[in-house]
Amino acid sequence: MSKILVTGGAGFIGSHTVVELQNSGFEVVIADNLSNSNEQVISQIAEITSKKPLFELVDLANESACKNLFEKHSDIVAVIHFAASKAVGESVEKPLFYYQNNLCSLLNVLENMVIHAIKPIVFSSSCTVYGQPKILPVDEQSPLQPAESPYGNTKQICEEILSDCTKATSIHVIALRYFNPIGAHETALIGELPLGVPNNLMPFITQTAAGIREKLSVFGNDYNTPDGTCIRDYIHVVDLAKAHVVALNRMLNHQQKQSIEYFNVGTGNGFSVLDVIKSFEKTSGQTLNYQIVGRRAGDIEQIWANPKFANEELGWKAEKSLDDMTLSAWNWQKKLIQ
Ligand code: UD1
């Protein structure tokens, strides 16, 4: 069994990916500092897959801790790197922390991959690198725009670091540019666990319906879109998790055509904020208390993916609908408040 290091594997996307990896026969070691997750996730993964992943409580931005991790698990054959801070607003307030945390953890991981001759790495990138694209849907050839936040900038810089590494070392990269991951595992045993007041739409909707928040604010209905609210490409987290397994296999089976490849991981469908609310109300049977307020600073108007390259070249396609996403997110929320 090939052993895969999943950094940030206790987090939202990481935990779903660990499930898919174990279901595909990989052995997983999770390295996570639990800064935005909970160790209970490890036993929930074990309940879903009947196998407990190895778990190391490690801060990868700490050079010696990262070195020790790679020495202890010298049989790792590939890395999937999720570990990073991801709150856009927080990154504006704490830029140094974001650069330190997101860049140093990647640098330490890469340094140790070189030492141990580990070549493949799948990197968590984001559609945020495209800013507001001029042409929609956005494909991988679209020009990157200057980042709107330190968080977005760390994603761009990390892509550059990885690209430079592929020129100078034997490291191979697949950077997956995620659109908006929402939803939860069908068992409702794992899902998104936002700390404090959620910033993102889906957890805010489910917490409002659960009575934890009074009402959802819809940020702007005066955008140049059919219903005036912003449009995003929401993708089910399980579909996204599966993309990582496909990307990993592509690298392990030496099918990469370039030493660094970028793929958009989205559905190709753009939905507005009101579409998501409507879907949620339909699948959950709840009436959502919401009101339209002013625009949120830094929001782009609309973006959705052209997933053709991922569909054809990677051989991966999103399968789940918006209703699957909102229903699974609600089932997870209900489990949390039980
Ligand atoms: C942002 C980041 C993205 C990051 C993601 C997860 C940018 C441009 N995008 O995505 O890179 O991966 O967060 O952290 O930096 N909305 C409301 N009310 C709310 C919350 C959201 O109306 O209470 C609206 C927003 O205005 C937006 C949509 O819902 O139109 C989605 O927002 P959100 O879930 O926060 O994700 P993004 O901002 O698209």
Side-chain angles (χ1 to χ4, degrees), residues 154-277:
T154 66
K155 291 294 173 194
Q156 293 197 355
I157 297 170
C158 285
E159 282 195 0
E160 286 169 7
I161 291 171
L162 287 160
S163 171
D164 288 343
C165 272
T166 62
K167 291 170 199 152
T169 72
S170 54
I171 282 176
H172 281 55
V173 182
I174 291 184
L176 299 179
R177 292 176 175 160
Y178 312 153
F179 283 67
N180 285 56
I182 59 170
H185 196 263
E186 61 184 3
T187 58
L189 287 168
I190 54 172
E192 192 170 3
L193 265 179
L195 289 180
V197 183
N199 294 304
N200 298 116
L201 179 64
M202 198 65 237
F204 211 106
I205 288 178
T206 58
Q207 289 196 5
T208 304
I212 302 167
R213 310 281 155 212
E214 194 200 331
K215 71 168 77 137
L216 169 78
S217 297
V218 173
F219 298 132
N221 68 347
D222 55 352
Y223 286 99
N224 185 23
T225 60
D227 67 20
T229 65
C230 292
I231 292 178
R232 298 286 184 273
D233 187 334
Y234 295 94
I235 175 165
H236 197 297
V237 65
V238 172
D239 277 334
L240 175 56
K242 288 178 179 168
H244 293 78
V245 180
V246 176
L248 181 69
N249 279 322
R250 179 178 173 88
M251 284 195 281
L252 294 176
N253 296 331
H254 308 288
Q255 291 165 330
Q256 271 193 291
K257 298 201 174 133
Q258 284 170 337
S259 53
I260 181 161
E261 294 176 323
Y262 308 87
F263 292 100
N264 282 347
V265 189
T267 65
N269 302 312
F271 287 107
S272 72
V273 177
L274 295 181
D275 289 332
V276 178
I277 293 173

